[in-house]
Amino acid sequence: MPRRNIVFLCGFSFFFGSLWLMFRQLDGQQKSEIVLRSSDSRLMDMHSRLGILEDELKDSKITIQKLRSGLDDLIELSRADNAHGPRRLEIVNSIVNKEHPQPKGFPRSSFNFSVEANPTCQDLNYDGSKCDIEMNDLYGVIDWSDSNGGVWKQGFEISTNDQEWQGRVLKIHVVPHSHNDPGWLKTYEDYFRLQTRHILDNIVDHLSLDHRRRFIWAEMSYLSMWYDVADPGRREKAKNLIKNGQLEIVTGGWVMNDEANTHYFAMIDQLIEGHEWLSRTFDVIPKSSWAIDPFGHTPTMAYLLKRMGFSNMLIQRVHYSVKKEFARKKSLEFRWRQEWDKGDSTDITCHMMPFYSYDVPHTCGPDPKVCCQFDFGRLPGMRRNCPWGTPARAITDENVEERAKLLLDQYRKKSKLFGTDTLLVILGDDFRYDKMQEVEAQFSNYAKLFEYINSHRDLRAEIKFSTLSEYFDGMLSDVGGTAKLPSLAGDFFTYADRQDHYWSGYYTSRPFYKTQERNLEAHQRGAEILFSLAMPVAKSAGILDSFSKALFPLVKKSRRNLGLFQHHDGITGTAKDPVVIDYGKKIKSSIMDAKEVISRCAELVLLRNPSEFKTTKAITIDYDAILATHDQPEEKVTVVIDKTAAQPTTVVIYNSLSHDRSGLVRLIVTDHKVQVVNSDNMPVPSQTNVIWTGPTSTRLDQFELVFAATVAATGLATYKISHMPQTPHNSLSVIKILNAPSDAELCCFDDFSIETLSTSNAVFTLENEELEVSFSTRNGFMREVVTKRDNVKMEVGIDFGVYTARGGKERAGAYLFLPEGPARPHLSEADRPVVRIVAGSLLKEVHVLAKNVEHVVSLHVTNKIGPSPFGIHVTNKVDIRSGMDNKELSMRVTAPDAAARDGQTFYTDLNGLQMQKRKTDLKKIPIQANFYPMPTMAFIQNEKTRLTVLTAQPRGVASLLPSQIEIVLDRRMMQDDNRGMAQPMKDNLRTHDRFVILIERWRGGDSAKPTGANQFPSVLSHHSLLDVLHPMWTMHYKGVDPAQVSPRFKDSFVPMPGSDPGAGESNLPCSVHIVNVRSLESKERDDVPVDEAALILQNFGHECGLDSATRYKAACVASRHDNSISVQTLYPMTSIKPVSLSLQRDGDQQAVRENFVIEPMEVKSFRVTLK
Ligand SMILES: [Zn+2]
């Protein structure tokens, strides 16, 4: 086509586009305004008419501005005519589509968004895994009564006699262990210094004395710390003991992670960290896992271990009634299978311990009074005793017969709960074997017992010290292989150890640090990915050594601090105050380190000449948020806009997610009249808000700038902000205040319209392209939502509830939730909180300043691209330090139209990996038993509607009413709950919680799906969650002459070829998420990364039967029938090889060349060499 024709065509398109734009402007008039529906307010009416007139006047101005800007575009276009082909077409595209509500294509910077993201339906298992034991079914029929079982209080009488053992031999494996918490009553370092160091010294020394002795060790955080300071002789001994099998490493994670609040990213990460260290130091790969203390157990752990190549796992803290039921059925050993598994590929052998605790009194057999006597760490004179009245007794020649028979009786009784004649008996407790005297006492006294039992064949028993794997090997050979064990699907929440003492408090305890943990997780992931992508750049610039030496130690430290907090007294919020502060400081410093890594890597990859990068030089690209202290939320750094400068201020935005992404970015700036342009110098829509200093007062010198940004997958984009007194692309928000105090000064910036409204029974409405949300003018709380796509109105309310801890001797604390009854409303009908309504072209918000919580509901406008316009975004700034002693505050989202038809079913996630069906049952189990972990989401649904609440931070959740999702926000407990922490929990902090509410409707023909055993979030839901967990981060240039930014730095970093426009369907499939790109360490030194990285990919299972599937647009491949991933769409790389999930075992050895498939629900690791 001749160039002139193109120019004409473009001019025509522009004219048509402008007309359409003007039409939309008038049509959309009220949309950026707040719509008030009032019955009898003439004044209001007049007021709003005046407002409309005023707006029309403004609009005319805007239209003129737009025409002017359009003319500029035309001029630019004619310039572009001289440019080369592809570049010109991009400009044409962007002009036609600028601000166009229904784009046909997108400007270059918007990448390759699929027109309609109707993802291919995956072949998912809706029916459940058809196991021998379905936990969900079992929970419905189990006997929850706490009847007295005799010596085994929570169980039943077990009898045995010599007769039974004729012709059989009981093979007893005694497994010594010491449970070392990396922080609980003391800090991680203090425990190490005072106890763990000596424990490991003792073990290594005493195992080396006798080859028959055994020990197991679980926490690599401690073993590595010990290894660093141990003398060379002991290091060598440890190596030999591991090599000859006397010392077995179990699980091998950095810590024994919590299983309720943790996200699978951090679970995998802390396991990799431990396994890498183990492989480098001892050249060993664990095969059995050991989790004796986490407060409830998740199948996610079983899945991850299986994919890491583990054969066996052991769990302990399971509800006493469940244990009793399993013991009766002799099913304490089973094959744990994922509920979504169609076959048995996820099966892993699991042993559930039968009794109350993992200490010696509760592990040798059913009678703690007897078992306690065989804890030789409780011999008279050794700090501990037996609370059952009979002390431990040393074994002598005189008493050995009687003692051995007494103990054997317990072993035999215990063995009757299992299906084999192989018995596991663990021998240890918290921080045991720290004194030489104790170590010697345990090993030598048991040796005497062993000798007696083994030499008296009439006792029909063989007994020895074993490791966990030796036990599993023996048991499996006895039973005839794993396949002979019953299969099981489901989870083990919520845990109760006795009476109605349910451990659902820790799902929320210390919520500030739970929030910070997710913040660190996101930063850590962001830093890992960008660091791995920057490595090849550094290599080709010849600065690899200095670059990696400067930044890798920060990456490494941050991995370990994130890992440490996954500990079951870390993220759970169940440590003493000084320990919590210690964790908090570590988290803070690692978030700041990760920010530094991200900004330094951004600098390197954006430099036109990367060899200019100096690791020692001051930071050039700085983060826009800092953590000043460990106990306060992040603060935004103010970006200075110089009104007089010729050059604009440049900000850099990082999208750590796997797909090109569009969304709103929020900055603090010094100017309210600004224009934001993208890297093509095309203006993007922006909005300026005031910053509040009090309920109705604002700052005069700083503002919040919101703009719509688009950034490539795991890439960077730059945007420029300049002072601009008049621009159609920026709007100031309009503010109205309800319930303002009569003496309130409505301060006071002329350019912003701030006015008060009187309270009435009316509702006011905010809307975007997808939703119309109504709020009460009385108290500002949400009332109704209209989904515009189907024009269905439904009641969706939010309110806050308060639980009061019940009285009595045993009260709620950090672990336990023990309410005196149902929640009461936090606010009364008469409460009239100040309500601010802030509406602009991109962001519309309602701020409710209620007591103890500032509740903000937001709608986003981003041209329907990206997940955010579909969500109702909720932020709660929670502070319960006043008036809330022994109370818990919850948020309740109520939607009668989404209520489960059976009145009891709802769904919560497990570790962000999978959904678990829950059944509320207030008749059989108390309120606190009906609360579950909510690491990332929960939903209620019926055959029409699904209502999902996504959370950016782990909390406890319930659905006590079929129409309701209730999330516990914070809890303040003024006493200890007798689980060892020995202090109240009243160190509450101001905490910012973020949630997203999604309303989706089932499309026709899928009526069976909403009732299936397995449910899956939609692609929209997955992407919304990723969006809220991994927000786009902003950085800005610091100390660089603005005039030098463009010459020295590129305006974007696009690491994945799929982000290239015109490359067709070359993006990753919608359901594929890059979990991590983690640089690997050298085998020789842990402070130096090698060329290789671990690429961890997830194919999340997604529901395609919801209407969001036809509405939501994302930059991903919507339909590739086999859901395969093309290697070409990933990063440029020279090799990619599948390996086990924690990288230690080779996969099928075959390097991947073309397309490869990750089955839905699976997470897979690859060793890759990036180029
Ligand atoms: Zn513990």
Side-chain angles (χ1 to χ4, degrees):
M1 201 186 288
R3 268 181 196 172
R4 219 180 300 161
N5 287 5
I6 294 175
V7 172
F8 174 76
L9 193 71
C10 296
F12 181 78
S13 309
F14 161 71
F15 180 71
F16 187 76
S18 301
L19 272 182
W20 172 247
L21 208 77
M22 278 192 273
F23 168 74
R24 287 294 306 179
Q25 198 67 43
L26 292 170
D27 183 46
Q29 195 77 196
Q30 291 172 347
K31 284 182 184 160
S32 65
E33 266 296 328
I34 302 146
V35 183
L36 264 170
R37 289 201 212 115
S38 180
S39 49
D40 58 347
S41 175
R42 281 191 177 192
L43 273 175
M44 280 303 276
D45 199 16
M46 270 183 69
H47 185 270
S48 68
R49 277 185 201 193
L50 268 174
I52 289 169
L53 271 175
E54 208 176 280
D55 282 345
E56 274 172 357
L57 202 66
K58 268 189 213 158
D59 255 359
S60 309
K61 267 192 200 164
I62 289 170
T63 309
I64 290 166
Q65 288 247 351
K66 279 190 177 161
L67 280 173
R68 191 171 286 154
S69 136
L71 206 61
D72 290 342
D73 289 337
L74 259 186
I75 292 165
E76 195 183 342
L77 185 66
S78 69
R79 277 198 206 116
D81 194 33
N82 295 322
H84 294 293
R87 167 76 185 154
R88 191 185 61 231
L89 273 174
E90 286 149 24
I91 294 173
V92 172
N93 237 354
S94 54
I95 291 170
V96 173
N97 294 307
K98 193 167 65 183
E99 290 196 36
H100 198 296
Q102 288 288 346
K104 288 195 185 74
F106 248 70
R108 183 189 175 279
S109 58
S110 294
F111 302 101
N112 197 21
F113 287 91
S114 63
V115 178
E116 217 163 63
N118 184 2
T120 314
C121 291
Q122 296 166 319
D123 188 15
L124 296 167
N125 175 359
Y126 284 89
D127 300 330
S129 56
K130 303 277 176 281
C131 281
D132 303 320
I133 306 163
E134 286 284 342
M135 287 311 296
N136 253 335
D137 296 343
L138 192 69
Y139 285 135
V141 297
I142 209 162
D143 172 18
W144 298 107
S145 65
D146 184 17
S147 55
N148 193 336
V151 292
W152 178 22
K153 224 168 153 246
Q154 297 172 325
F156 43 83
E157 291 290 349
I158 310 169
S159 60
T160 185
N161 55 52
D162 288 344
Q163 223 58 47
E164 281 182 346
W165 291 94
Q166 292 314 309
R168 294 160 66 188
V169 175
L170 182 61
K171 282 149 280 180
I172 306 148
H173 295 258
V174 177
V175 178
H177 75 99
S178 179
H179 180 67
N180 284 242
D181 295 304
W184 181 38
L185 309 177
K186 299 181 188 126
T187 63
Y188 164 52
E189 286 83 2
D190 280 352
Y191 269 137
F192 179 75
R193 194 167 45 82
L194 298 167
Q195 285 165 285
T196 307
R197 184 179 180 170
H198 309 299
I199 295 168
L200 281 160
D201 281 351
N202 286 339
I203 288 163
V204 166
D205 290 350
H206 287 258
L207 255 57
S208 301
L209 295 176
D210 185 339
H211 71 277
R212 290 168 303 182
R213 293 178 177 179
R214 297 285 186 276
F215 212 85
I216 58 170
W217 192 265
E219 301 83 8
M220 294 312 105
S221 49
Y222 276 135
L223 193 58
S224 66
M225 203 180 215
W226 174 83
Y227 195 81
D228 286 346
V229 296
D231 65 70
R234 281 209 176 100
R235 284 187 185 191
E236 216 35 53
K237 277 185 193 169
K239 274 189 183 167
N240 290 334
L241 292 168
I242 288 173
K243 208 169 169 188
N244 74 17
Q246 279 184 266
L247 175 58
E248 184 187 15
I249 303 300
V250 285
T251 317
W254 201 244
V255 298
M256 184 186 291
N257 61 262
D258 168 45
E259 302 189 20
N261 303 291
T262 41
H263 189 277
Y264 74 89
F265 170 89
M267 294 163 82
I268 294 174
D269 207 61
Q270 71 96 11
L271 284 160
I272 292 180
E273 188 59 23
H275 290 178
E276 280 216 287
W277 182 84
L278 266 176
S279 151
R280 192 175 52 250
T281 313
F282 296 119
D283 195 20
V284 65
I285 312 167
K287 68 173 216 178
S288 299
S289 174
W290 171 257
I292 52 172
D293 204 19
F295 325 142
H297 294 283
T298 174
T300 302
M301 196 68 196
Y303 170 73
L304 300 180
L305 292 168
K306 176 71 182 184
R307 292 293 180 252
M308 289 178 183
F310 279 74
S311 307
N312 320 297
M313 62 189 294
L314 173 144
I315 58 174
Q316 148 60 17
R317 289 200 187 267
V318 171
H319 193 295
Y320 58 86
S321 296
V322 175
K323 287 187 171 212
K324 187 173 172 175
E325 175 76 15
F326 275 57
R328 267 193 209 290
K329 302 250 167 75
K330 294 194 179 190
S331 53
L332 288 158
E333 290 179 317
F334 50 85
R335 282 176 289 148
W336 202 345
R337 181 178 300 168
Q338 301 303 306
E339 191 73 84
W340 44 264
D341 190 351
K342 284 183 171 162
D344 56 7
S345 88
T346 58
D347 286 13
I348 179 167
T349 304
C350 183
H351 173 103
M352 182 196 296
M353 288 171 54
F355 305 123
Y356 169 77
S357 167
Y358 55 81
D359 59 12
V360 180
H362 296 94
T363 47
C364 94
D367 190 346
K369 183 178 178 174
V370 174
C371 289
C372 193
Q373 299 167 38
F374 295 90
D375 181 354
F376 302 104
R378 301 188 197 228
L379 287 172
M382 289 193 191
R383 298 172 296 164
R384 305 175 187 91
N385 56 22
C386 281
W388 289 269
T390 312
R393 276 164 61 192
I395 306 301
T396 61
D397 290 346
E398 289 69 43
N399 69 14
V400 65
E401 181 180 356
E402 175 264 330
R403 293 276 99 187
K405 285 180 175 169
L406 182 65
L407 182 59
L408 186 58
D409 178 62
Q410 287 297 309
Y411 289 160
R412 283 177 171 179
K413 283 174 176 162
K414 182 177 179 182
S415 82
K416 292 190 76 172
L417 309 179
F418 295 87
T420 72
D421 289 345
T422 302
L423 183 68
L424 172 66
V425 177
I426 69 170
L427 182 67
D429 204 340
D430 292 357
F431 294 96
R432 282 302 191 86
Y433 303 89
D434 60 335
K435 298 275 185 292
M436 288 223 290
Q437 191 195 5
E438 180 196 348
V439 188
E440 213 29 64
Q442 295 288 28
F443 280 119
S444 62
N445 280 294
Y446 270 94
K448 287 178 198 160
L449 290 163
F450 291 179
E451 208 182 306
Y452 183 86
I453 293 170
N454 290 332
S455 61
H456 289 75
R457 304 197 68 173
D458 56 317
L459 295 178
R460 311 218 55 85
E462 292 167 4
I463 185 164
K464 58 176 184 174
F465 291 120
S466 276
T467 63
L468 188 60
S469 290
E470 284 175 323
Y471 163 71
F472 274 115
D473 289 347
M475 181 277 285
L476 287 170
S477 99
D478 203 355
V479 80
T482 309
K484 296 284 166 57
L485 298 174
S487 56
L488 175 145
D491 75 336
F492 299 100
F493 293 115
T494 282
Y495 171 61
D497 57 346
R498 50 184 149 99
Q499 295 129 31
D500 62 351
H501 291 190
Y502 282 83
W503 296 37
S504 42
Y506 85 94
Y507 302 154
T508 300
S509 294
R510 266 71 175 250
F512 175 85
Y513 296 101
K514 285 183 164 71
T515 300
Q516 288 302 74
E517 187 276 340
R518 288 292 196 270
N519 198 2
L520 172 56
E521 207 167 308
H523 278 87
Q524 176 64 15
R525 178 178 167 277
E528 292 274 8
I529 293 174
L530 203 52
F531 177 80
S532 297
L533 298 178
M535 287 270 290
V537 179
K539 192 178 179 186
S540 59
I543 55 160
L544 184 63
D545 200 44
S546 61
F547 171 78
S548 58
K549 268 188 188 144
L551 297 181
F552 193 63
L554 301 183
V555 173
K556 184 97 192 136
K557 198 173 148 204
S558 181
R559 283 175 186 171
R560 293 186 166 184
N561 280 343
L562 176 68
L564 188 72
F565 198 63
Q566 307 309 311
H567 164 52
H568 56 265
D569 295 303
I571 191 170
T572 50
T574 55
K576 274 188 181 291
D577 288 350
V579 181
V580 171
I581 290 167
D582 182 62
Y583 286 134
K585 287 181 174 168
K586 289 185 165 91
I587 291 173
K588 184 227 155 193
S589 86
S590 283
I591 291 175
M592 293 311 293
D593 284 349
K595 281 181 191 291
E596 181 171 344
V597 171
I598 290 171
S599 52
R600 298 308 309 265
C601 291
E603 186 183 332
L604 175 71
V605 299
L606 286 177
L607 271 169
R608 289 187 194 278
N609 178 7
S611 59
E612 270 182 36
F613 183 85
K614 299 278 182 296
T615 48
T616 50
K617 213 181 49 178
I619 284 173
T620 305
I621 297 181
D622 202 5
Y623 241 76
D624 90 318
I626 57 155
L627 279 162
T629 62
H630 70 278
D631 53 4
Q632 282 175 329
E634 196 169 84
E635 283 169 43
K636 286 261 182 190
V637 172
T638 306
V639 178
V640 177
I641 312 294
D642 188 346
K643 287 187 188 180
T644 57
Q647 296 292 334
T649 299
T650 305
V651 293
V652 178
I653 302 170
Y654 175 33
N655 163 26
S656 74
L657 293 182
S658 328
H659 301 107
D660 305 340
R661 175 185 190 188
S662 239
L664 298 184
V665 169
R666 304 174 82 155
L667 296 173
I668 307 296
V669 293
T670 53
D671 189 5
H672 64 296
K673 290 185 171 173
V674 294
Q675 175 161 283
V676 183
V677 297
N678 66 14
S679 51
D680 292 332
N681 278 323
M682 302 306 293
V684 298
S686 65
Q687 171 183 339
T688 314
N689 299 328
V690 295
I691 292 174
W692 299 94
T693 54
T696 61
S697 55
T698 67
R699 286 190 78 126
L700 301 177
D701 55 343
Q702 292 184 0
F703 307 89
E704 185 187 47
L705 174 66
V706 184
F707 66 92
T710 304
V711 190
T714 64
L716 301 161
T718 54
Y719 283 80
K720 294 187 178 71
I721 309 165
S722 45
H723 175 68
M724 180 90 45
Q726 289 285 324
T727 165
H729 304 289
N730 181 255
S731 67
L732 304 184
S733 52
V734 176
I735 301 146
K736 300 195 192 303
I737 298 182
L738 290 158
N739 303 328
S742 53
D743 57 346
E745 277 184 49
L746 288 185
C747 199
C748 53
F749 213 87
D750 289 347
D751 294 315
F752 285 93
S753 147
I754 306 181
E755 55 182 304
T756 57
L757 285 180
S758 55
T759 303
S760 70
N761 285 326
V763 293
F764 64 90
T765 303
L766 298 182
E767 60 182 305
N768 66 6
E769 293 289 324
E770 286 296 322
L771 303 164
E772 190 181 301
V773 184
S774 303
F775 303 81
S776 154
T777 55
R778 200 164 45 76
N779 57 21
F781 285 113
M782 189 160 87
R783 287 285 171 266
E784 277 172 3
V785 178
V786 176
T787 35
K788 289 188 174 175
R789 56 187 182 269
D790 52 7
N791 203 30
V792 172
K793 183 197 281 185
M794 63 185 260
E795 194 187 315
V796 184
I798 293 183
D799 76 334
F800 293 90
V802 175
Y803 289 94
T804 303
R806 78 179 182 213
K809 227 172 86 188
E810 298 208 74
R811 304 191 71 184
Y815 302 87
L816 306 181
F817 176 34
L818 290 172
E820 65 173 13
R824 295 200 180 92
H826 182 52
L827 300 180
S828 75
E829 280 293 301
D831 274 327
R832 292 286 177 271
V834 173
V835 177
R836 299 190 293 240
I837 309 162
V838 181
S841 54
L842 297 180
L843 186 69
K844 294 140 197 249
E845 292 195 329
V846 180
H847 308 170
V848 181
L849 310 186
K851 64 180 177 194
N852 302 117
V853 57
E854 185 180 327
H855 170 67
V856 178
V857 174
S858 317
L859 293 184
H860 295 189
V861 181
T862 62
N863 251 342
K864 286 202 244 177
I865 297 297
S868 66
F870 292 84
I872 299 163
H873 301 253
V874 177
T875 302
N876 293 320
K877 295 173 182 172
V878 179
D879 187 347
I880 64 163
R881 284 173 289 192
S882 99
M884 292 287 284
D885 289 359
N886 272 324
K887 291 191 166 31
E888 334 218 349
L889 182 70
S890 74
M891 176 175 79
R892 303 180 290 197
V893 181
T894 310
D897 291 339
R901 295 283 186 246
D902 67 359
Q904 54 179 3
T905 304
F906 73 116
Y907 300 84
T908 64
D909 76 300
L910 292 164
N911 318 95
L913 188 77
Q914 53 186 322
M915 298 308 297
Q916 176 69 48
K917 191 174 189 168
R918 308 282 183 202
K919 282 196 168 162
T920 298
D921 186 348
L922 288 162
K923 287 194 189 106
K924 283 196 208 148
I925 51 175
I927 290 172
Q928 63 270 25
N930 287 285
F931 277 76
Y932 294 97
M934 184 193 187
T936 64
M937 71 169 82
F939 57 76
I940 51 172
Q941 67 178 9
N942 53 39
E943 73 290 346
K944 282 206 173 75
T945 302
R946 172 185 289 183
L947 180 128
T948 308
V949 182
L950 307 169
T951 175
Q953 55 286 313
R955 296 289 183 263
V957 70
S959 175
L960 303 181
L961 297 174
S963 60
Q964 196 172 73
I965 292 173
E966 174 170 21
I967 300 158
V968 183
L969 303 177
D970 200 357
R971 43 204 315 272
R972 184 171 177 81
M973 296 297 131
M974 309 310 282
Q975 59 282 314
D976 183 50
D977 53 4
N978 303 317
R979 294 304 186 279
M981 199 176 108
Q983 62 144 81
M985 182 181 63
K986 46 185 184 179
D987 55 347
N988 307 74
L989 295 165
R990 186 176 164 85
T991 303
H992 295 184
D993 290 348
R994 292 178 297 125
F995 303 96
V996 179
I997 300 169
L998 292 176
I999 297 160
E1000 296 170 291
R1001 262 176 261 283
W1002 290 94
R1003 292 186 285 155
D1006 281 318
S1007 57
K1009 277 187 172 178
T1011 54
N1014 281 329
Q1015 295 293 313
F1016 305 89
S1018 62
V1019 168
L1020 169 66
S1021 188
H1022 281 294
H1023 286 188
S1024 300
L1025 177 66
L1026 289 167
D1027 190 48
V1028 79
L1029 288 176
H1030 303 281
M1032 288 200 274
W1033 289 301
T1034 48
M1035 294 163 266
H1036 56 272
Y1037 285 93
K1038 186 177 154 187
V1040 180
D1041 177 2
Q1044 283 299 306
V1045 170
S1046 289
R1048 279 185 60 205
F1049 295 93
K1050 293 182 278 188
D1051 52 31
S1052 66
F1053 171 62
V1054 182
M1056 294 176 84
S1059 300
D1060 189 17
E1065 283 202 343
S1066 59
N1067 256 302
L1068 287 173
C1070 296
S1071 60
V1072 172
H1073 167 57
I1074 298 172
V1075 178
N1076 205 352
V1077 189
R1078 191 185 201 269
S1079 285
L1080 298 180
E1081 303 156 2
S1082 131
K1083 269 264 178 193
E1084 291 73 41
R1085 291 176 53 183
D1086 68 352
D1087 58 342
V1088 181
V1090 291
D1091 265 3
E1092 274 189 318
L1095 172 68
I1096 307 175
L1097 298 175
Q1098 179 201 22
N1099 182 4
F1100 52 70
H1102 67 80
E1103 177 53 65
C1104 62
L1106 292 160
D1107 62 350
S1108 56
T1110 56
R1111 287 290 281 199
Y1112 169 54
K1113 293 179 180 64
C1116 51
V1117 175
S1119 51
R1120 183 179 283 146
H1121 62 280
D1122 59 354
N1123 271 308
S1124 65
I1125 301 162
S1126 152
V1127 173
Q1128 277 72 39
T1129 60
L1130 289 161
Y1131 305 106
M1133 52 182 94
T1134 52
S1135 76
I1136 170 167
K1137 202 175 113 189
V1139 284
S1140 66
L1141 192 51
S1142 68
L1143 325 171
Q1144 304 307 315
R1145 292 172 169 92
D1146 282 335
D1148 47 18
Q1149 303 283 347
Q1150 196 85 61
V1152 178
R1153 287 203 174 75
E1154 292 298 326
N1155 290 2
F1156 61 96
V1157 175
I1158 298 177
E1159 296 297 331
M1161 300 303 296
E1162 298 278 1
V1163 184
K1164 259 191 154 155
S1165 289
F1166 301 85
R1167 275 178 183 267
V1168 297
T1169 312
L1170 300 172
K1171 61 177 181 191

